[in-house]
């Protein structure tokens, strides 16, 4: 019976070892080894593994300790090692909780010393046991507990109580996953201890600890939902979790936003695959400056870095002696200088190298932002286009106040009809007659005055209101067509700009038809304009949408030809009726032979595709004569009229004078 019980015990130890070893290997493979709580967790797992080995060896020695002094010595060493490691379980778990909740950042030197004294005391008890035998001893070959073992249990219980107190204090600062992982570990371990206490022959304590650690690995150490697999840096969700923890703990930290202002142009020139490679290159560079778990990739154009402020940095310097990667050594100002120096050099963009234009924005929690919502408002706010600085901080963040004002103006505009549709006429070049007009949205706010589309359109898109606004514009254009005035003035079309965000949404075609059908207007009178900067990955879906809408009678124009790099592919891939050449191409043609060559070749190519051509930005008679020689179909620009309100436009096209 004794041998069977030994085998039973050994099975528990072997399973505990295998589970712990699996956890350790998974942590290493998944690169979960660089944060303080990662290291504390690995230490806990290592203790369970070591104890499993020592207990297994001890079980094998038991039948022979009365017959062999060597076996007795080995058993003695195993028990010493077991206690040396096992007394650390509760303190390490407490330290793990401090790191997991980030409460470790609020601990001071004297607290660290106080928390360490009982650990030193327990280890001294273990190391002195061969002489004192106060912890355990052997009598007639049987293991006997000494009075000091109960002292060790009491001290361990105190550490567990401290861990529970830490959990309770920072409960609201933890995510649900953190709470579940903690409850899982403690529940399973307490259950294992209780079973072994009631039934000493069931040695399941180590097995329970291994199962608890497995729960922590699955629920807490697993960061698949907040980490980017290729770069091992964090995503938007990870930033949200970490910001919420810092703010709930009342911790001060610096935020550095690295924004690459020309990533949109780069995307059109080198494609999505190379943009991903560029993002990885930037991430790898940033990891040479700060630890990966302080870096967050929001989108291809923006990285966020969280750094401790000076007080936090000075305090955490002590912990680096034990955990060298726990806090970044570099300050936010040093990091800013290094980033600017690096971005003066070139980056790999496919088979070529190019420089990138970064803007660095520095802010602080809680000085600048006090909530997670405020931080993400800052992150999602577009940078002002009229920018003459590469580094923004302090008073420079006033543009965020402007963003708030614009958001409020947009809400007022939708509620109080502050939006107005302006019209800019398009003329046929050969006959000089009115051909059509482009509908352009304007916002007049009672508090801010006129707000230009370049400012309010990106905000509308980020607010998720672009559908409402685009639908409103289409409705007003249909209302204008329904009045019969455009047809009476000889107009053949009215152009309406479409947002790519709107186009790609489910039910877009049905929604467009529903709006137009409600006014009972001729769909041939509507031409939808789409910018040529549409990404190549969207061609197939967009092509299907264009084909479906054209079958109903609508026309399509590609807007802003010449401002990006995907234009030729756009023309070939999408069934446009009209191509609108951007004003920059026309103006460049007047300045030199190269510009003239680009304009001439563009017109010839588009004409050979049997598509109509509109040239924007016409401002002088010499430009009109130039376009006549090149055989352009239509022209649009300030020479004829700026975009004007509907009533003024009606008076102009009907020749009505006041």
């Amino acid at each position: 019976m004794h041998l069977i019980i030994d085998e039973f015990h050994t099975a528990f130890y072997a399973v505990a070892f295998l589970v712990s070893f699996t956890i350790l290997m998974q942590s290493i493979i998944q690169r979960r080894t660089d944060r303080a709580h990662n290291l504390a967790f690995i230490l806990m797992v290592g203790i369970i593994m070591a104890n499993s080995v020592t207990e297994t060896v001890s079980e094998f020695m038991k039948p022979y300790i009365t017959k062999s002094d060597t076996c007795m010595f080995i058993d003695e060493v195993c028990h010493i090692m077991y206690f040396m490691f096992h007394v650390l379980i509760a303190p390490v778990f407490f330290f793990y909780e401090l790191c997991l909740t980030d409460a470790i950042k609020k601990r001071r030197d004297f607290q660290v010393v106080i928390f360490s004294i009982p650990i030193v005391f327990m280890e001294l008890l273990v190391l002195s046991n061969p002489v004192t035998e106060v912890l355990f001893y052997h009598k007639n070959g049987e293991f006997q507990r000494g009075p000091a073992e109960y002292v060790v249990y009491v001290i361990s219980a105190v550490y567990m109580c401290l861990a529970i107190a830490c959990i309770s204090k920072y409960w609201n600062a933890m995510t649900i996953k953190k709470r579940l992982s903690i409850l899982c570990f403690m529940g399973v371990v307490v259950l294992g201890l209780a079973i072994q206490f009631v039934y000493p022959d069931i040695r399941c304590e180590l097995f329970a600890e291994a199962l608890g650690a497995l729960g922590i690995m699955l629920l807490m150490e697993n960061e698949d939902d907040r980490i980017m697999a290729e770069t091992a840096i964090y995503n938007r969700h990870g930033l949200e979790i970490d910001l919420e923890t810092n703010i709930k703990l009342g911790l001060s930290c610096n935020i550095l936003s690295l924004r690459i202002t020309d990533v949109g142009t780069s995307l059109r020139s080198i494609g999505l695959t190379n943009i991903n490679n560029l993002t990885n290159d930037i991430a790898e560079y940033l990891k040479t400056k700060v630890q990966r778990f302080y870096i967050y990739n929001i989108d291809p154009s923006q990285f966020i870095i969280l750094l401790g402020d000076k007080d936090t940095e000075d305090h955490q310097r002590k912990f680096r002696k034990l955990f060298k990667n726990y806090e970044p050594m570099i300050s936010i100002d040093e990091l800013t200088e290094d980033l600017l120096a690096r971005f003066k050099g070139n980056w790999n963009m496919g088979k070529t190298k190019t420089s990138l234009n970064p803007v660095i924005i520095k802010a602080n929690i809680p000085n600048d932002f006090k909530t997670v919502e405020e931080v993400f408002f800052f992150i999602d706010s577009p940078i002002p286009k009229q920018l003459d600085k590469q580094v923004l901080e302090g008073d420079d963040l006033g543009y965020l106040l402007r963003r708030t004002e614009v958001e409020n103006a947009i809400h007022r505009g939708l509620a109080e009809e502050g939006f107005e549709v302006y019209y800019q006429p398009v003329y046929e070049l050969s006959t000089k007659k009115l051909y059509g007009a482009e509908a352009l949205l304007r916002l007049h706010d009672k508090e801010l005055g006129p707000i230009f589309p370049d400012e309010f359109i990106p905000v509308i898109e980020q607010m998720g209101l672009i559908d409402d606004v685009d639908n409103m514009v289409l409705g007003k254009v249909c209302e204008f067509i329904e009045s019969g005035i455009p047809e009476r003035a000889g107009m053949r079309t009215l152009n309406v700009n479409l947002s790519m965000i709107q186009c790609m949404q489910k039910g877009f075609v049905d929604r467009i038809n529903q709006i137009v059908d409600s006014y009972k207007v001729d769909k041939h009178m509507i031409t939808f304009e789409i910018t040529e900067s549409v990404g190549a990955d969207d061609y197939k879906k967009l092509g299907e949408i264009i084909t479906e809408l054209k079958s109903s009678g609508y026309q399509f124009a590609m807007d802003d030809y010449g401002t990006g790099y995907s234009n030729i592919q756009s023309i070939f891939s999408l069934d446009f009726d009209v191509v609108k050449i951007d004003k920059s191409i026309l103006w460049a043609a007047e300045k030199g032979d190269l510009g003239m060559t680009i304009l001439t070749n563009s017109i010839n190519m588009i004409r050979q595709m049997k598509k109509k051509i509109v040239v924007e930005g016409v401002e002088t008679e010499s430009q009109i004569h130039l376009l006549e020689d090149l055989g352009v179909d239509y022209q649009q620009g300030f020479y004829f009229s700026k975009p004007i309100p509907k009533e003024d436009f009606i008076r102009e096209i009907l020749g009505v004078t006041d």
Side-chain angles (χ1 to χ4, degrees), residues 254-302:
N254 293 313
I255 305 172
L256 185 148
S257 170
L258 170 65
R259 303 197 189 186
I260 305 166
T261 58
D262 51 359
V263 139
T265 302
S266 301
L267 181 58
R268 294 195 296 271
S269 65
I270 69 171
L272 183 60
T273 299
N274 286 320
I275 277 291
N276 289 336
N277 292 337
L278 174 63
T279 300
N280 294 341
D281 288 345
I282 295 174
E284 290 303 317
Y285 167 72
L286 293 177
K287 285 192 288 187
T288 66
K289 297 299 175 183
V290 297
Q291 284 68 47
R292 65 166 183 88
F293 41 82
Y294 295 102
I295 308 170
Y296 308 83
N297 186 206
I298 306 303
D299 55 54
S301 65
Q302 184 172 191

Side-chain angles (χ1 to χ4, degrees), residues 583-599:
K583 61 187 178 183
S584 61
I585 302 296
L586 172 62
W587 294 351
E590 289 191 306
K591 295 179 181 178
D593 293 339
L594 179 59
M596 179 61 73
T597 300
I598 294 173
L599 176 61

Side-chain angles (χ1 to χ4, degrees), residues 391-507:
V391 180
L392 302 179
E393 59 183 320
D395 294 340
D396 298 326
L397 300 183
Y399 76 87
L400 294 174
L401 177 61
R402 174 67 179 182
R403 161 71 186 263
T404 304
E405 294 173 340
V406 171
E407 281 194 1
N408 293 333
I410 289 169
H411 285 301
R412 286 193 295 268
L414 290 172
E416 303 170 8
E417 297 188 354
F419 286 101
E420 185 176 4
V421 176
Y422 278 35
Y423 294 90
Q424 186 177 31
V426 178
Y427 285 89
E428 193 168 11
L429 197 64
S430 59
T431 64
K432 306 295 189 295
K433 291 182 179 180
L434 180 66
Y435 167 73
E438 181 179 357
L440 298 162
L441 188 62
R442 295 293 184 266
L443 175 57
H444 301 280
D445 185 64
K446 61 185 180 182
E447 296 183 15
L448 301 182
I451 305 174
F452 293 101
D454 284 352
E455 183 174 16
F456 70 75
I457 291 295
V459 178
I460 287 175
E461 290 180 341
Q462 291 176 356
M463 292 172 67
L465 298 174
I466 193 65
D467 284 353
D468 296 333
V469 173
D470 282 350
N471 293 343
M472 177 196 67
V473 172
L474 180 58
K476 288 185 178 294
V477 169
C478 290
E479 184 181 295
F480 185 30
I481 296 173
E482 186 184 36
S483 71
I485 294 174
E487 188 176 2
R488 206 164 7 136
M491 296 173 63
R492 284 178 275 173
T493 186
L494 283 170
N495 290 21
V496 179
N497 289 282
L498 286 183
S499 162
M500 280 302 303
I501 296 175
Q502 185 189 27
C503 289
M504 294 301 168
Q505 290 189 358
K506 187 177 181 180

Side-chain angles (χ1 to χ4, degrees), residues 498 502-505 508-509 530 539-551 556:
L498 286 183
Q502 185 189 27
C503 289
M504 294 301 168
Q505 290 189 358
F508 167 71
V509 173
I530 301 177
Y539 287 152
K540 182 178 179 180
K541 185 174 181 180
L542 184 57
E544 294 171 355
I545 292 171
I546 291 176
T547 299
E548 189 172 354
L549 286 174
K550 287 191 68 174
S551 67
F556 275 83

Side-chain angles (χ1 to χ4, degrees), residues 41-42 67 86 103 113 155 158 179 261 290 295 363 380 411 448 475 477 550 607:
F41 176 70
I42 289 173
K67 303 174 183 178
H86 207 64
V113 172
I155 294 174
V158 171
R179 297 171 185 174
T261 58
V290 297
I295 308 170
D380 294 333
H411 285 301
L448 301 182
V477 169
K550 287 191 68 174
R607 190 189 297 117

Side-chain angles (χ1 to χ4, degrees), residues 1-66:
M1 183 65 181
H2 181 70
L3 183 58
I4 294 175
I5 292 175
D6 286 350
E7 291 175 348
F8 184 59
H9 295 169
T10 304
F12 271 114
Y13 302 145
V15 173
F17 176 83
L18 291 175
V19 171
S20 303
F21 181 77
T22 301
I23 295 171
L24 179 63
M25 289 298 99
Q26 184 70 7
S27 298
I28 294 173
I29 292 171
Q30 296 294 328
R31 294 182 289 181
R32 303 177 193 135
T33 58
D34 48 0
R35 306 195 73 162
H37 69 79
N38 295 147
L39 297 174
F41 176 70
I42 289 173
L43 182 57
M44 278 196 299
V45 173
I47 289 171
I48 297 170
M49 288 178 59
N51 284 341
S52 300
V53 172
T54 57
E55 287 291 83
T56 300
V57 173
S58 178
E59 287 295 333
F60 277 107
M61 293 299 107
K62 276 184 180 180
Y64 310 107
I65 57 177
T66 57

Side-chain angles (χ1 to χ4, degrees), residues 556-576:
F556 275 83
M558 186 181 75
D559 194 17
D560 296 334
Y561 174 90
T563 58
Y565 297 89
S566 63
N567 37 49
I568 296 177
Q569 186 174 357
S570 298
I571 297 174
F572 277 112
S573 302
L574 304 173
D575 188 16
F576 291 111

